[in-house]
Amino acid sequence: MKAIAKYLSIFLFSVIIISKASAQNMSAVNNMLNRQFMNQQMQMSMLSLNNNQYNRSFTFVVTMADSTQKIVDSKIYSDASLHKAYLLFVDKSYPRSDTNRRKKIFANQTLRISRDLFGGKKVEGIANDTCWMFKTISGPISAYSFLSDGYLPFVALQFNDGPIEKFNEEHLKKVVSTNIDALESARKKDYLKAIQKYNRNLKKMAQR
């Protein structure tokens, strides 16, 4: 009987260890899948740049990584192989036949880009490794887009005065969960309405 009890204890201990290891492995797998999903979303959004109706050509002031500036008339393009946004700079110091006349300026080669709006205002895109991030919504939840004109697609969010974070649907749902209308919009993947409803609701509460 003692031998049976001993083997039974060893068996149960082994089951517990295997279960814990499986749970850890599943957690690691889930984290990996979540990262892959977010990267796929980023890549799909980047690819949508080239055909997005709001992605028009503008005159941008480009501040390069060495703080020098260029004036570039371009829309924001996406390099399908590198999954990076770029502006197309036409260097008129070269003849039209020269291949150096047209150059790609990638986001990670710059600090920021900006363009003028009506009324003397400017819109600025902060550079990261893959794109420029333009703040399109300001409030308790601030949203950043790939584009300087139009809201979507969102690339990053900022909650209050926290850091700018890569857009994450589940995180957004968690934050807006205190507002039923905003949460319902987020569940329908209408992230613009979800953020607007949440910000509007907090503003009303602050005015009471």
Side-chain angles (χ1 to χ4, degrees):
M1 290 296 292
K2 288 183 179 180
I4 294 174
K6 179 180 178 181
Y7 287 124
L8 183 59
S9 297
I10 294 172
F11 174 75
L12 291 174
F13 179 74
S14 300
V15 169
I16 291 171
I17 294 298
I18 292 171
S19 297
K20 286 184 177 180
S22 298
Q24 290 174 349
N25 288 336
M26 284 302 297
S27 178
V29 169
N30 287 334
N31 288 336
M32 180 187 70
L33 291 175
N34 286 335
R35 287 195 299 271
Q36 288 178 347
F37 177 71
M38 288 175 66
N39 288 335
Q40 286 171 357
Q41 280 188 315
M42 175 80 76
Q43 290 171 11
M44 288 174 66
S45 297
M46 290 289 289
L47 290 173
S48 74
L49 280 176
N50 296 337
N51 299 313
N52 194 298
Q53 62 177 325
Y54 296 106
N55 186 18
R56 297 178 292 167
S57 181
F58 293 104
T59 300
F60 289 102
V61 177
V62 181
T63 303
M64 303 298 291
D66 62 1
S67 296
T68 59
Q69 292 188 330
K70 297 179 184 291
I71 305 299
V72 181
D73 294 312
S74 176
K75 65 190 292 186
I76 297 175
Y77 295 94
S78 174
D79 188 301
S81 59
L82 297 176
H83 306 299
K84 291 184 177 183
Y86 68 90
L87 298 176
L88 191 59
F89 174 57
V90 179
D91 189 342
K92 295 182 180 179
S93 64
Y94 290 92
R96 293 179 183 275
S97 59
D98 197 315
T99 55
N100 291 314
R101 182 180 171 89
R102 296 162 66 86
K103 300 175 182 177
K104 292 181 179 181
I105 300 178
F106 289 97
N108 63 341
Q109 296 175 317
T110 72
L111 298 176
R112 59 189 170 273
I113 62 175
S114 64
R115 69 176 180 85
D116 292 331
L117 298 175
F118 294 109
K121 295 182 178 179
K122 293 181 180 290
V123 60
E124 183 176 274
I126 304 168
N128 64 21
D129 288 341
T130 58
C131 67
W132 294 279
M133 301 183 297
F134 297 88
K135 184 185 284 190
T136 55
I137 298 177
S138 296
I141 299 179
S142 296
Y144 294 78
S145 171
F146 288 114
L147 302 177
S148 68
D149 190 27
Y151 290 103
L152 300 172
F154 291 139
V155 59
L157 299 176
Q158 185 178 22
F159 302 98
N160 297 309
D161 296 323
I164 300 173
E165 306 173 11
K166 185 183 293 186
F167 176 83
N168 184 300
E169 179 183 2
E170 295 306 316
H171 192 183
L172 177 61
K173 286 179 182 178
K174 184 178 180 180
V175 172
V176 305
S177 61
T178 55
N179 184 292
I180 300 300
D181 290 339
L183 180 59
E184 185 63 24
S185 294
R187 285 173 175 166
K188 293 179 180 178
K189 299 187 181 299
D190 193 340
Y191 307 121
L192 173 59
K193 277 189 178 179
I195 295 170
Q196 288 176 331
K197 287 178 179 178
Y198 180 81
N199 287 351
R200 190 161 52 241
N201 183 63
L202 285 191
K203 184 178 180 180
K204 287 180 180 179
M205 291 177 63
Q207 291 173 344
R208 289 176 183 174

